[in-house]
Amino acid sequence: MTETDSSASDYTRGQPRRHHSLYFEDGTLVMRVSNFLMCRMRRSWLQMSLKVENAIFKVHRSLLARSSTAIQDMLSVPSGKGPHDGTDENPLIMSGDSVVGWELLLGLQYSVLLNRFQLPKGEDLLTILPIVHKYCMEEIEANIIRELKATFTYDGFVNLIVASRLIDCNSLYQDGLQRLFKFGTFPTLEQAKRMGVETTHAVMKSASDHAVASSLAKADNQICRHCQHSTNWKCSHSSCQKPQRVVLSVRTQIDLIVWFIAITNHY
């Protein structure tokens, strides 16, 4: 991407402006997506800066209305009678949404019209998920969750944990957690940051318990060198012919001590 392309797609600079690829002149719905971004300053973990995303989309009403009951309700107000009726003069305000999220979502919906439907992958799904959940796009949300569950990698399971928090779904969280438990390994630093302290602690404790259990299982499968039976820490098999420990009586022990002292004095 060139510097010009990069600046064209950066909506944190200047006044709200038309989206570079999703503003169609024949569109029937104008939306302004506004979002506050908290950005960490360099060289300090304490200083924060605030940026505002502002992008104006012009798309087709039917495209969004058929997949979102929430947007259907927003558009049910007769044109010209609402404070934000989806026109150039009074765009529909989508506050708190990600510009990138709407780019991905609208691109997905237009691809359906062109028979080129294909869900994004990985973290792009997580960018779309809060928007489809917020605006009750139930079918798209179900497809996203299905796609996330179909990825059987550690990062995929971490994505399930993140997704469960985005839509406040405990069953999805437990599903992701159990999958991480079965994986039985520690997360990387980046994965731990994404999961959060409590989840990382639970996963690391499970991985540690799994390692201990594996060690004990390995010890339990050892073969006794005396009787060739499977054993654990100490063979207790009734047929074991291992050398028996000789136990001396107290009288014999005293006689040996006296004998040792006598021999020592003699020399």
Side-chain angles (χ1 to χ4, degrees):
M1 181 180 287
T2 65
E3 185 176 350
T4 303
D5 292 336
S6 178
S7 60
S9 59
D10 182 1
Y11 295 94
T12 61
R13 302 176 182 178
Q15 297 297 314
R17 66 180 187 279
R18 297 178 178 182
H19 192 271
H20 62 285
S21 63
L22 288 165
Y23 187 95
F24 302 108
E25 292 298 339
D26 64 344
T28 54
L29 175 66
V30 181
M31 307 185 306
R32 195 179 88 188
V33 176
S34 298
N35 188 31
F36 292 95
L37 301 176
M38 297 297 292
C39 304
R40 226 179 275 277
M41 301 291 286
R42 291 182 179 180
R43 301 179 184 176
S44 173
W45 290 100
L46 299 177
Q47 296 179 353
M48 306 290 286
S49 66
L50 183 65
K51 290 184 177 181
V52 181
E53 283 187 308
N54 270 307
I56 299 174
F57 296 86
K58 190 171 185 179
V59 293
H60 299 86
R61 287 174 180 251
S62 58
L63 187 72
L64 292 177
R66 71 182 182 184
S67 60
S68 168
T69 55
I71 292 180
Q72 282 179 14
D73 292 340
M74 294 167 70
L75 297 177
S76 62
V77 179
S79 180
K81 294 186 178 181
H84 304 290
D85 55 12
T87 61
D88 283 296
E89 295 75 20
N90 297 301
L92 199 64
I93 304 298
M94 313 303 247
S95 212
D97 299 341
S98 162
V99 170
V100 174
W102 272 107
E103 287 175 354
L104 291 168
L105 177 58
L106 291 170
L108 176 65
Q109 292 184 304
Y110 276 109
S111 71
V112 173
L113 296 179
L114 299 173
N115 294 320
R116 298 175 184 172
F117 175 76
Q118 184 176 5
L119 276 173
K121 302 294 182 182
E123 293 192 29
D124 282 347
L125 290 175
L126 299 178
T127 305
I128 298 174
L129 186 57
I131 296 176
V132 300
H133 183 71
K134 177 179 178 180
Y135 295 104
C136 304
M137 301 181 184
E138 296 174 358
E139 184 178 351
I140 299 176
E141 181 175 334
N143 288 333
I144 290 175
I145 298 301
R146 191 179 302 111
E147 184 70 21
L148 289 172
K149 286 185 175 182
T151 305
F152 295 95
T153 63
Y154 204 94
D155 279 330
F157 301 155
V158 172
N159 284 342
L160 280 180
I161 297 294
V162 176
S164 71
R165 290 183 176 138
L166 291 174
I167 62 175
D168 192 23
C169 180
N170 185 61
S171 61
L172 186 61
Y173 175 81
Q174 293 300 328
D175 186 8
L177 197 60
Q178 292 304 316
R179 294 183 188 213
L180 288 169
F181 286 169
K182 291 178 182 178
F183 215 92
T185 58
F186 293 151
T188 64
L189 178 60
E190 185 59 34
Q191 289 167 341
K193 287 179 179 178
R194 295 182 64 213
M195 290 191 296
V197 175
E198 291 184 3
T199 305
T200 299
H201 175 266
V203 170
M204 294 185 72
K205 183 179 183 302
S206 175
S208 299
D209 292 345
H210 177 76
V212 171
S214 297
S215 299
L216 291 175
K218 184 178 180 181
D220 285 341
N221 292 325
Q222 296 298 312
I223 302 299
C224 177
R225 61 191 175 93
H226 301 295
C227 69
Q228 302 305 306
H229 284 98
S230 295
T231 182
N232 45 29
W233 302 107
K234 182 178 180 181
C235 184
S236 59
H237 200 275
S238 59
S239 64
C240 184
Q241 299 299 314
K242 63 185 176 183
Q244 298 297 313
R245 180 181 176 186
V246 178
V247 180
L248 301 176
S249 66
V250 176
R251 179 64 185 176
T252 303
Q253 292 181 47
I254 293 174
D255 288 343
L256 285 173
I257 292 172
V258 172
W259 176 80
F260 177 76
I261 293 172
I263 294 296
T264 303
N265 290 337
H266 178 76
Y267 291 103

